[in-house]
Amino acid sequence: MCTPSKTRFNATESPTVVGRMPIRIGLLCAWVAVLCYAAANSIASHLVSVGQANPMPDGRNAITFANLFVLSSLISLVPMAFLFRADLTRNNLRKLALNDWFLLTVSALISSALTPGLFFFALEHSSVTNVVMIGRIEPPLFLMAASLFLKERFEKKALIAGLVALLGALVMIGFCDTVRLGPGEWAAFAATLSFMSSTLLARKVLKTLPMGIFASIRTVLGVSFYVIFVCVVQGPDQFRGLLSPILLKQVWIYAIVVFVIGQIAWNMALKHAKPSEISLATSFSPVAGVVFAMTLLGEHPGSGLIPGAVLILLAIYIGQCKRPIPGRLKVVWASRPTYSHSDIAQVLVPVAAFPGLSSKGYNGQF
């Protein structure tokens, strides 16, 4: 039976192509996206500091979070229009129903306006390490929400892996002296919930719409909503210097890594990966995010980095382990070395305590 997207739209992915697609393509895309998104906060903060060191003639910083987001989104439309040109046809656009436009609008509002706005506020009032650590509540919550709202099944070991990864992040937070529950941390918490909501909604929309239509229209609507949101809250002056030479020179790394590679890989993961695979990949995000923060910004997460990283790596091992953990423990327990009572007695009981026994030792009989 064909899915709704195949009956209504001329998608670039035919059933034959999807059938030949490697089984692990969703997991691979999820890992690529997670690494790109883990570097996003550090790259953005680094570029903002570059702009501060090279202000415009009026003293303003042209490389702001708002300018980076808007210009990178517009740049990403060029490769998306090329990659998904078979989806972006007038015939397909005319097939969009009112419900499709509603879901695209809500998805764009949450993912491209609300979520980045909250994350940028968090980065302005907190460190990248704190934002990364607080965001680790997302993997286990995503699994439970996907099961509850999208009726998708997940393996119990995936939930266990997510909880272990969350424990690792809590260990990092507990040993980090810089973590305080201020406005930035609360904004990071709200941004994490907003990101999880947008992920669930995107996963639902991608079941019925082609990738090109979803990615392109959501980007256009998202940028429009974000510009309106910033202009209403902070004023249009926030976008001064949008076409300044320093910004045009520095924006490419952020646009290519986060918006082109990261966004396309993430959409592919949402379409083809299982919830457990997405949760497994995002479990590694805190380690990658902290490493990028240490490398690009010189931040130090504290003494909890190593034990927290060990727990997160353990979570990844649990998530990708093919044999269930209880079954593996049973195998280890069954292969343990065993000893009889006579063996124990022969070691613990001196021969001299039993007159008449052979000097060769206890033979196991009293």
Side-chain angles (χ1 to χ4, degrees), residues 100 133 182 258 277 351:
D100 296 328
M133 291 297 102
V258 180
E277 293 175 335
V351 176

Side-chain angles (χ1 to χ4, degrees), residues 240-261:
R240 291 187 62 181
L242 185 62
L243 299 178
S244 63
I246 183 66
L247 177 60
L248 293 176
K249 180 181 179 180
Q250 299 290 336
V251 73
W252 293 100
I253 182 173
Y254 186 74
I256 292 174
V257 172
V258 180
F259 280 83
V260 178
I261 300 177

Side-chain angles (χ1 to χ4, degrees), residues 318-330:
I318 293 174
Q320 69 178 4
C321 183
K322 294 182 179 180
R323 178 177 294 177
I325 297 301
R328 183 174 291 271
L329 292 176
K330 289 180 180 179

Side-chain angles (χ1 to χ4, degrees), residues 290-304:
V290 169
V291 170
F292 283 120
M294 294 172 61
T295 304
L296 298 178
L297 305 177
E299 295 185 2
H300 194 276
S303 58

